[in-house]
Coordinates of all heavy atoms in Angstrom, one line a residue:
M24 N 14.1 14.7 0.5 CA 13.8 13.3 0.3 C 13.1 13.1 -1.1 O 13.3 12.1 -1.7 CB 12.9 12.8 1.4 CG 12.8 11.3 1.2 SD 12.2 10.4 2.6 CE 10.5 10.5 2.4
A25 N 12.4 14.2 -1.6 CA 11.8 14.0 -2.9 C 12.8 13.7 -4.0 O 12.5 12.9 -4.9 CB 11.0 15.3 -3.2
D26 N 14.0 14.4 -3.9 CA 15.0 14.1 -4.9 C 15.5 12.7 -4.8 O 15.7 12.1 -5.9 CB 16.2 15.1 -4.7 CG 15.9 16.5 -4.9 OD1 14.9 16.8 -5.7 OD2 16.5 17.4 -4.3
F27 N 15.7 12.1 -3.6 CA 16.1 10.8 -3.5 C 15.1 9.8 -4.1 O 15.4 8.9 -4.8 CB 16.3 10.4 -2.0 CG 16.9 9.0 -1.8 CD1 18.2 8.8 -1.7 CD2 16.0 7.9 -1.7 CE1 18.7 7.5 -1.5 CE2 16.5 6.7 -1.5 CZ 17.8 6.4 -1.4
L28 N 13.8 10.1 -3.8 CA 12.8 9.2 -4.4 C 12.7 9.3 -5.9 O 12.6 8.2 -6.5 CB 11.4 9.6 -3.8 CG 11.2 9.4 -2.3 CD1 9.9 9.9 -1.8 CD2 11.4 7.9 -1.9
A29 N 12.8 10.5 -6.4 CA 12.8 10.6 -7.9 C 14.0 10.0 -8.5 O 13.9 9.3 -9.5 CB 12.8 12.1 -8.3
E30 N 15.2 10.1 -7.9 CA 16.4 9.6 -8.4 C 16.3 8.0 -8.5 O 16.9 7.4 -9.4 CB 17.6 10.0 -7.6 CG 18.9 9.5 -8.0 CD 20.0 9.9 -7.1 OE1 20.0 11.1 -6.6 OE2 20.9 9.1 -6.8
H31 N 15.7 7.4 -7.5 CA 15.6 6.0 -7.5 C 14.2 5.5 -8.0 O 13.9 4.3 -7.8 CB 15.8 5.5 -6.0 CG 17.2 5.7 -5.6 ND1 17.6 6.9 -5.0 CD2 18.3 4.9 -5.6 CE1 18.9 6.8 -4.8 NE2 19.3 5.6 -5.1
E32 N 13.4 6.4 -8.6 CA 12.1 6.0 -9.2 C 11.2 5.3 -8.2 O 10.6 4.3 -8.4 CB 12.3 5.2 -10.4 CG 13.1 6.0 -11.5 CD 13.3 5.2 -12.8 OE1 12.9 4.0 -12.8 OE2 13.7 5.8 -13.8
I33 N 11.1 5.9 -7.0 CA 10.3 5.3 -5.9 C 9.2 6.2 -5.7 O 9.3 7.4 -5.5 CB 11.1 5.2 -4.6 CG1 12.3 4.2 -4.8 CG2 10.2 4.7 -3.4 CD1 13.3 4.1 -3.6
T34 N 8.0 5.7 -5.6 CA 6.8 6.5 -5.3 C 6.5 6.6 -3.8 O 7.0 5.7 -3.1 CB 5.5 5.9 -6.0 OG1 5.2 4.7 -5.4 CG2 5.7 5.8 -7.5
A35 N 5.8 7.6 -3.4 CA 5.5 7.7 -2.0 C 4.6 6.5 -1.6 O 4.8 6.0 -0.5 CB 4.7 9.0 -1.8
Y36 N 3.8 6.1 -2.5 CA 2.9 4.9 -2.2 C 3.8 3.7 -1.9 O 3.6 3.0 -0.9 CB 2.0 4.6 -3.3 CG 1.1 3.5 -3.0 CD1 0.0 3.6 -2.2 CD2 1.3 2.2 -3.6 CE1 -0.8 2.5 -1.9 CE2 0.5 1.1 -3.3 CZ -0.6 1.3 -2.5 OH -1.4 0.2 -2.2
A37 N 4.8 3.5 -2.8 CA 5.7 2.3 -2.6 C 6.5 2.4 -1.3 O 6.6 1.4 -0.6 CB 6.6 2.2 -3.8
L38 N 6.9 3.6 -1.0 CA 7.7 3.8 0.3 C 6.7 3.5 1.5 O 7.1 2.8 2.4 CB 8.2 5.2 0.4 CG 8.9 5.6 1.7 CD1 10.1 4.6 2.0 CD2 9.4 7.0 1.7
G39 N 5.5 4.0 1.4 CA 4.6 3.8 2.5 C 4.3 2.3 2.7 O 4.3 1.8 3.9
K40 N 4.2 1.6 1.6 CA 4.0 0.1 1.8 C 5.2 -0.6 2.3 O 5.1 -1.4 3.2 CB 3.6 -0.5 0.4 CG 2.3 -0.1 -0.1 CD 1.2 -0.4 0.9 CE 0.1 -1.2 0.3 NZ -0.9 -1.6 1.2
A41 N 6.4 -0.2 1.9 CA 7.6 -0.8 2.4 C 7.8 -0.5 3.9 O 8.4 -1.3 4.6 CB 8.8 -0.3 1.6
M42 N 7.3 0.7 4.3 CA 7.5 1.1 5.7 C 6.4 0.4 6.5 O 6.6 0.3 7.7 CB 7.2 2.6 5.8 CG 8.3 3.5 5.3 SD 7.9 5.2 5.2 CE 7.4 5.6 6.9
G43 N 5.4 -0.1 5.9 CA 4.3 -0.8 6.6 C 3.5 0.2 7.5 O 3.0 -0.1 8.5
T44 N 3.4 1.4 7.0 CA 2.7 2.5 7.7 C 1.3 2.7 7.3 O 0.9 2.4 6.2 CB 3.5 3.8 7.6 OG1 2.9 4.8 8.5 CG2 3.4 4.4 6.2
S45 N 0.5 3.1 8.2 CA -0.9 3.5 7.9 C -0.9 5.0 7.9 O -2.0 5.6 7.6 CB -1.8 2.9 9.0 OG -1.5 3.4 10.3
Y46 N 0.2 5.7 8.1 CA 0.2 7.1 8.0 C 0.7 7.6 6.7 O 1.8 8.2 6.5 CB 1.2 7.7 9.1 CG 0.7 7.3 10.5 CD1 1.4 6.3 11.2 CD2 -0.4 7.9 11.1 CE1 1.0 5.9 12.5 CE2 -0.8 7.5 12.4 CZ -0.1 6.5 13.1 OH -0.5 6.2 14.3
M47 N -0.1 7.3 5.7 CA 0.3 7.7 4.3 C 0.4 9.2 4.1 O 1.2 9.6 3.3 CB -0.6 7.0 3.3 CG -0.5 5.5 3.2 SD 1.2 5.0 2.7 CE 1.3 5.6 1.1
N48 N -0.4 10.0 4.8 CA -0.3 11.4 4.7 C 1.1 11.9 5.0 O 1.6 12.8 4.4 CB -1.3 12.1 5.5 CG -2.7 12.0 4.9 OD1 -2.9 11.7 3.7 ND2 -3.7 12.1 5.8
T49 N 1.7 11.3 6.0 CA 3.1 11.7 6.4 C 4.0 11.4 5.3 O 4.9 12.2 5.0 CB 3.5 10.9 7.7 OG1 2.6 11.3 8.8 CG2 4.9 11.3 8.1
V50 N 3.9 10.2 4.7 CA 4.8 9.8 3.6 C 4.6 10.7 2.5 O 5.6 11.2 1.9 CB 4.5 8.3 3.2 CG1 5.4 7.9 2.0 CG2 4.8 7.4 4.4
Y51 N 3.4 11.1 2.1 CA 3.2 12.0 1.0 C 3.8 13.4 1.2 O 4.3 14.0 0.3 CB 1.7 12.1 0.6 CG 1.2 10.8 -0.1 CD1 0.3 9.9 0.4 CD2 1.7 10.6 -1.4 CE1 -0.1 8.8 -0.2 CE2 1.3 9.5 -2.1 CZ 0.4 8.6 -1.5 OH 0.0 7.5 -2.2
R52 N 3.7 13.8 2.5 CA 4.3 15.1 2.8 C 5.8 15.1 2.7 O 6.4 16.0 2.2 CB 3.9 15.6 4.2 CG 2.5 16.2 4.3 CD 2.3 17.0 5.6 NE 2.7 16.2 6.8 CZ 1.8 15.4 7.5 NH1 0.6 15.3 7.1 NH2 2.3 14.8 8.6
L53 N 6.4 14.0 3.1 CA 7.8 13.9 3.0 C 8.3 13.8 1.6 O 9.4 14.3 1.3 CB 8.3 12.6 3.7 CG 8.2 12.5 5.2 CD1 8.4 11.1 5.7 CD2 9.2 13.5 5.8
A54 N 7.5 13.3 0.7 CA 7.8 13.1 -0.7 C 7.5 14.4 -1.6 O 8.0 14.4 -2.7 CB 7.1 11.9 -1.2
R55 N 6.8 15.3 -1.0 CA 6.5 16.5 -1.9 C 7.6 17.5 -1.8 O 7.9 18.1 -0.8 CB 5.2 17.1 -1.4 CG 4.0 16.5 -1.9 CD 2.7 17.2 -1.5 NE 2.6 18.4 -2.3 CZ 1.7 19.3 -2.0 NH1 0.9 19.2 -0.9 NH2 1.6 20.4 -2.7
R56 N 8.2 17.8 -3.0 CA 9.3 18.7 -3.1 C 8.7 20.1 -2.8 O 7.7 20.5 -3.3 CB 9.9 18.7 -4.5 CG 11.1 19.5 -4.6 CD 11.8 19.4 -6.0 NE 12.4 18.1 -6.1 CZ 12.0 17.1 -6.9 NH1 11.0 17.2 -7.7 NH2 12.7 16.0 -6.9
G57 N 9.4 20.9 -1.9 CA 9.0 22.2 -1.5 C 7.9 22.3 -0.5 O 7.6 23.4 0.0
H58 N 7.4 21.1 -0.1 CA 6.3 21.1 1.0 C 6.7 20.2 2.1 O 5.8 19.7 2.8 CB 5.0 20.8 0.4 CG 4.5 21.7 -0.7 ND1 4.0 23.0 -0.3 CD2 4.5 21.7 -2.0 CE1 3.7 23.6 -1.5 NE2 4.0 22.8 -2.5
E59 N 8.0 19.9 2.2 CA 8.4 19.0 3.3 C 8.0 19.5 4.6 O 8.0 20.7 4.9 CB 9.9 18.8 3.2 CG 10.4 18.2 1.9 CD 10.7 19.2 0.8 OE1 10.4 20.4 1.0 OE2 11.2 18.8 -0.3
P60 N 7.8 18.6 5.6 CA 7.5 19.0 6.9 C 8.7 19.7 7.6 O 9.8 19.4 7.2 CB 7.1 17.7 7.6 CG 7.7 16.6 6.8 CD 7.8 17.1 5.4
S61 N 8.4 20.5 8.6 CA 9.5 21.2 9.2 C 10.2 20.3 10.3 O 11.2 20.6 10.8 CB 9.0 22.5 9.9 OG 8.0 22.2 10.8
R62 N 9.5 19.2 10.6 CA 10.1 18.3 11.6 C 9.6 16.9 11.4 O 8.6 16.7 10.7 CB 9.8 18.7 13.0 CG 8.3 18.7 13.3 CD 8.0 19.1 14.7 NE 6.6 19.2 14.9 CZ 6.0 20.1 15.6 NH1 6.6 21.0 16.2 NH2 4.7 20.0 15.7
I63 N 10.4 15.9 11.9 CA 10.0 14.5 11.8 C 10.5 13.8 13.0 O 11.7 14.1 13.5 CB 10.6 13.9 10.5 CG1 10.2 12.4 10.4 CG2 12.1 14.0 10.4 CD1 10.5 11.8 9.0
D64 N 9.8 12.9 13.6 CA 10.3 12.3 14.8 C 11.2 11.1 14.5 O 11.2 10.6 13.3 CB 9.1 11.8 15.7 CG 8.2 10.8 15.1 OD1 8.6 10.2 14.1 OD2 7.1 10.5 15.7
L65 N 12.1 10.8 15.4 CA 13.1 9.8 15.1 C 12.6 8.4 14.8 O 13.1 7.8 13.9 CB 14.1 9.7 16.3 CG 14.9 11.0 16.5 CD1 15.8 10.8 17.7 CD2 15.7 11.3 15.2
P66 N 11.5 7.9 15.5 CA 11.0 6.6 15.0 C 10.5 6.6 13.6 O 10.7 5.6 12.9 CB 9.9 6.3 16.0 CG 10.2 7.1 17.2 CD 10.9 8.4 16.7
T67 N 9.9 7.7 13.2 CA 9.4 7.8 11.8 C 10.6 7.8 10.8 O 10.6 7.1 9.8 CB 8.5 9.0 11.6 OG1 7.4 8.9 12.4 CG2 8.1 9.1 10.1
L68 N 11.6 8.6 11.2 CA 12.8 8.6 10.3 C 13.5 7.3 10.2 O 13.9 6.9 9.1 CB 13.8 9.6 10.9 CG 15.1 9.9 10.1 CD1 14.8 10.3 8.7 CD2 16.0 10.9 10.9
V69 N 13.5 6.5 11.3 CA 14.1 5.2 11.2 C 13.3 4.3 10.3 O 13.8 3.5 9.5 CB 14.2 4.5 12.6 CG1 14.5 3.1 12.6 CG2 15.3 5.3 13.4
T70 N 12.0 4.4 10.4 CA 11.1 3.6 9.5 C 11.2 4.0 8.1 O 11.2 3.1 7.2 CB 9.6 3.8 10.0 OG1 9.5 3.4 11.4 CG2 8.7 2.9 9.2
V71 N 11.4 5.3 7.8 CA 11.6 5.7 6.4 C 12.9 5.1 5.9 O 13.0 4.6 4.8 CB 11.7 7.3 6.3 CG1 12.2 7.8 5.0 CG2 10.3 7.9 6.6
L72 N 14.0 5.2 6.7 CA 15.3 4.6 6.2 C 15.2 3.1 6.0 O 15.7 2.6 5.0 CB 16.4 4.9 7.3 CG 16.8 6.4 7.3 CD1 17.7 6.6 8.5 CD2 17.5 6.9 6.1
D73 N 14.5 2.4 6.9 CA 14.3 1.0 6.7 C 13.5 0.7 5.4 O 13.8 -0.2 4.6 CB 13.6 0.4 7.9 CG 14.5 0.3 9.1 OD1 15.7 0.5 9.0 OD2 13.9 0.1 10.2
G74 N 12.5 1.5 5.1 CA 11.7 1.3 3.9 C 12.5 1.6 2.7 O 12.4 0.8 1.7
L75 N 13.3 2.6 2.7 CA 14.2 2.9 1.6 C 15.2 1.9 1.3 O 15.6 1.5 0.2 CB 14.8 4.3 1.7 CG 13.9 5.5 1.6 CD1 14.6 6.8 2.0 CD2 13.2 5.6 0.3
R76 N 15.8 1.3 2.4 CA 16.7 0.2 2.3 C 16.1 -1.0 1.7 O 16.7 -1.7 0.9 CB 17.3 -0.1 3.7 CG 18.3 1.0 4.2 CD 18.7 0.8 5.6 NE 19.6 1.8 6.0 CZ 19.9 2.1 7.2 NH1 19.4 1.4 8.2 NH2 20.7 3.1 7.5
T77 N 14.9 -1.3 2.1 CA 14.1 -2.4 1.5 C 13.9 -2.2 0.0 O 14.1 -3.1 -0.8 CB 12.8 -2.6 2.2 OG1 13.0 -2.9 3.6 CG2 12.0 -3.7 1.6
L78 N 13.5 -1.0 -0.4 CA 13.2 -0.8 -1.8 C 14.4 -0.7 -2.7 O 14.4 -1.1 -3.8 CB 12.4 0.5 -1.9 CG 11.0 0.5 -1.3 CD1 10.4 1.8 -1.3 CD2 10.1 -0.5 -2.1
T79 N 15.5 -0.1 -2.1 CA 16.7 0.1 -3.0 C 17.7 -1.1 -2.9 O 18.6 -1.2 -3.7 CB 17.4 1.4 -2.6 OG1 17.9 1.3 -1.3 CG2 16.5 2.6 -2.8
G80 N 17.7 -1.8 -1.8 CA 18.7 -2.8 -1.5 C 20.1 -2.2 -1.1 O 21.1 -2.8 -1.2
K81 N 20.1 -0.9 -0.8 CA 21.3 -0.2 -0.5 C 21.2 0.3 1.0 O 20.2 0.4 1.6 CB 21.4 1.1 -1.3 CG 21.6 0.7 -2.8 CD 21.7 2.0 -3.6 CE 21.8 1.6 -5.1 NZ 21.8 2.8 -5.9
D82 N 22.4 0.6 1.5 CA 22.5 1.1 2.9 C 22.2 2.6 2.9 O 23.1 3.4 2.9 CB 23.9 0.8 3.5 CG 24.0 1.2 4.9 OD1 23.0 1.2 5.6 OD2 25.2 1.4 5.4
V83 N 21.0 3.0 2.9 CA 20.6 4.4 2.9 C 20.8 5.0 4.2 O 20.5 4.5 5.3 CB 19.1 4.5 2.5 CG1 18.7 6.0 2.4 CG2 18.8 3.8 1.1
Q84 N 21.5 6.2 4.2 CA 21.8 6.9 5.5 C 21.0 8.2 5.6 O 20.4 8.6 4.6 CB 23.3 7.2 5.5 CG 24.2 6.0 5.5 CD 24.1 5.2 6.7 OE1 24.1 5.7 7.8 NE2 24.0 3.9 6.6
I85 N 20.9 8.7 6.7 CA 20.2 10.0 6.9 C 20.7 11.1 6.0 O 19.9 11.8 5.4 CB 20.3 10.5 8.4 CG1 19.6 9.5 9.3 CG2 19.8 11.9 8.5 CD1 19.8 9.8 10.8
T86 N 22.0 11.1 5.8 CA 22.5 12.2 4.9 C 22.1 12.0 3.4 O 22.3 12.9 2.6 CB 24.1 12.2 5.0 OG1 24.6 10.9 4.8 CG2 24.5 12.7 6.4
D87 N 21.6 10.8 3.1 CA 21.2 10.6 1.7 C 19.8 11.2 1.5 O 19.5 11.5 0.3 CB 21.0 9.1 1.4 CG 22.4 8.4 1.4 OD1 23.4 9.0 1.0 OD2 22.4 7.2 1.9
I88 N 19.0 11.5 2.5 CA 17.7 12.0 2.3 C 17.5 13.3 3.0 O 16.5 14.0 2.6 CB 16.6 11.0 2.8 CG1 16.8 10.7 4.3 CG2 16.7 9.7 2.0 CD1 15.6 9.9 4.9
L89 N 18.3 13.7 3.9 CA 18.2 15.0 4.6 C 19.4 15.9 4.3 O 20.5 15.4 4.4 CB 18.0 14.9 6.1 CG 16.8 14.1 6.6 CD1 16.8 14.0 8.1 CD2 15.5 14.8 6.1
H90 N 19.2 17.1 4.1 CA 20.3 18.1 3.8 C 20.1 19.3 4.8 O 19.0 19.8 4.9 CB 20.3 18.5 2.4 CG 20.4 17.4 1.4 ND1 21.6 16.8 1.1 CD2 19.5 16.7 0.7 CE1 21.4 15.8 0.3 NE2 20.1 15.8 0.0
Y91 N 21.2 19.6 5.5 CA 21.2 20.7 6.4 C 21.4 22.0 5.6 O 22.4 22.1 4.9 CB 22.2 20.5 7.4 CG 22.4 21.7 8.3 CD1 21.5 22.1 9.3 CD2 23.5 22.5 8.2 CE1 21.6 23.2 10.1 CE2 23.7 23.6 9.1 CZ 22.7 24.0 10.0 OH 22.9 25.0 10.8
E92 N 20.6 23.0 5.8 CA 20.7 24.3 5.3 C 20.7 25.3 6.4 O 19.7 25.5 7.1 CB 19.6 24.7 4.3 CG 19.6 23.8 3.0 CD 18.5 24.1 2.1 OE1 17.9 25.2 2.2 OE2 18.3 23.3 1.2
S93 N 21.9 25.9 6.7 CA 22.0 26.8 7.8 C 21.3 28.1 7.5 O 21.2 28.6 6.4 CB 23.5 27.1 8.0 OG 23.7 28.1 9.0
S94 N 20.7 28.6 8.6 CA 20.1 29.9 8.5 C 21.0 31.0 9.1 O 20.6 32.2 9.2 CB 18.7 29.9 9.3 OG 19.0 29.6 10.6
V95 N 22.2 30.6 9.5 CA 23.2 31.5 10.1 C 24.3 31.8 9.1 O 24.9 30.9 8.5 CB 23.8 30.9 11.4 CG1 24.9 31.7 11.9 CG2 22.7 30.6 12.4
E96 N 24.5 33.1 8.9 CA 25.6 33.5 8.0 C 26.8 33.7 8.8 O 26.8 34.5 9.8 CB 25.2 34.8 7.2 CG 26.3 35.2 6.3 CD 25.9 36.4 5.5 OE1 24.7 36.6 5.2 OE2 26.8 37.2 5.2
L97 N 27.9 32.9 8.5 CA 29.1 33.1 9.2 C 29.9 34.3 8.8 O 30.0 34.6 7.6 CB 30.0 31.8 9.1 CG 29.4 30.5 9.6 CD1 30.3 29.4 9.4 CD2 29.1 30.7 11.1
T98 N 30.4 35.0 9.8 CA 31.3 36.1 9.5 C 32.7 35.8 10.1 O 32.7 34.9 11.0 CB 30.8 37.4 10.1 OG1 30.7 37.3 11.5 CG2 29.4 37.7 9.5
P99 N 33.7 36.5 9.8 CA 35.0 36.2 10.4 C 35.0 36.2 11.9 O 35.6 35.4 12.5 CB 35.9 37.3 9.8 CG 35.3 37.6 8.5 CD 33.8 37.5 8.7
T100 N 34.2 37.1 12.5 CA 34.2 37.2 13.9 C 33.3 36.1 14.5 O 33.6 35.6 15.6 CB 33.7 38.6 14.4 OG1 32.4 38.8 13.9 CG2 34.6 39.7 14.1
A101 N 32.3 35.7 13.8 CA 31.4 34.6 14.3 C 32.0 33.2 14.0 O 31.6 32.3 14.7 CB 30.0 34.7 13.7
A102 N 32.9 33.1 13.1 CA 33.5 31.9 12.8 C 34.5 31.3 13.8 O 35.0 30.3 13.6 CB 34.1 31.9 11.4
G103 N 34.8 32.1 14.8 CA 35.7 31.6 15.8 C 37.1 32.2 15.7 O 38.0 31.7 15.1
N104 N 37.3 33.4 16.2 CA 38.6 34.1 16.1 C 39.4 33.8 17.3 O 40.4 34.5 17.5 CB 38.3 35.6 15.9 CG 37.6 36.2 17.0 OD1 37.3 35.6 18.0 ND2 37.2 37.5 16.9
G105 N 39.1 32.9 18.1 CA 39.9 32.5 19.3 C 39.5 33.2 20.5 O 40.0 33.0 21.6
R106 N 38.5 34.2 20.5 CA 38.1 34.9 21.7 C 36.9 34.2 22.2 O 36.0 33.6 21.5 CB 37.7 36.3 21.3 CG 38.8 37.1 20.9 CD 38.4 38.5 20.7 NE 39.1 39.2 19.7 CZ 38.8 40.3 19.2 NH1 37.8 41.0 19.7 NH2 39.5 40.9 18.2
T107 N 36.7 34.2 23.5 CA 35.6 33.6 24.2 C 34.9 34.6 25.1 O 35.5 35.6 25.5 CB 35.9 32.4 25.0 OG1 37.0 32.7 25.9 CG2 36.3 31.3 24.1

């Protein structure tokens, strides 16, 4: 999410205000590159998206701010060779 905020020149403070949250520590953690929380609850995620939509005027989606990085390395046998 830090990349999205930087790309759109949005500060954590501005996001927190747009979200209407009193949990600014959560917003600052989300905005810190390399120190992102390991989890986020769905109501908070919805509020973040709504805040970003308000600030950007764009239809911000989950995939715009979250990126999946697999910890599983696929091998030809693990990738599905038709056996069960």
Side-chain angles (χ1 to χ4, degrees):
M24 187 160 92
D26 293 335
F27 183 92
L28 294 176
E30 180 181 320
H31 291 87
E32 299 180 353
I33 298 171
T34 65
Y36 180 79
L38 176 57
K40 289 306 235 181
M42 290 169 54
T44 187
S45 58
Y46 300 104
M47 290 302 292
N48 287 337
T49 300
V50 176
Y51 284 112
R52 280 196 312 270
L53 289 169
R55 279 185 75 191
R56 187 176 287 114
H58 298 285
E59 298 89 353
S61 59
R62 62 181 177 219
I63 182 171
D64 64 13
L65 293 178
T67 301
L68 183 57
V69 168
T70 305
V71 167
L72 290 171
D73 289 344
L75 291 172
R76 289 173 179 162
T77 297
L78 292 171
T79 64
K81 298 178 182 178
D82 185 25
V83 180
Q84 298 294 314
I85 291 173
T86 54
D87 295 324
I88 61 171
L89 297 178
H90 302 281
Y91 172 72
E92 293 180 16
S93 178
S94 60
V95 175
E96 183 177 326
L97 295 178
T98 61
T100 56
N104 60 6
R106 294 186 214 173
T107 55

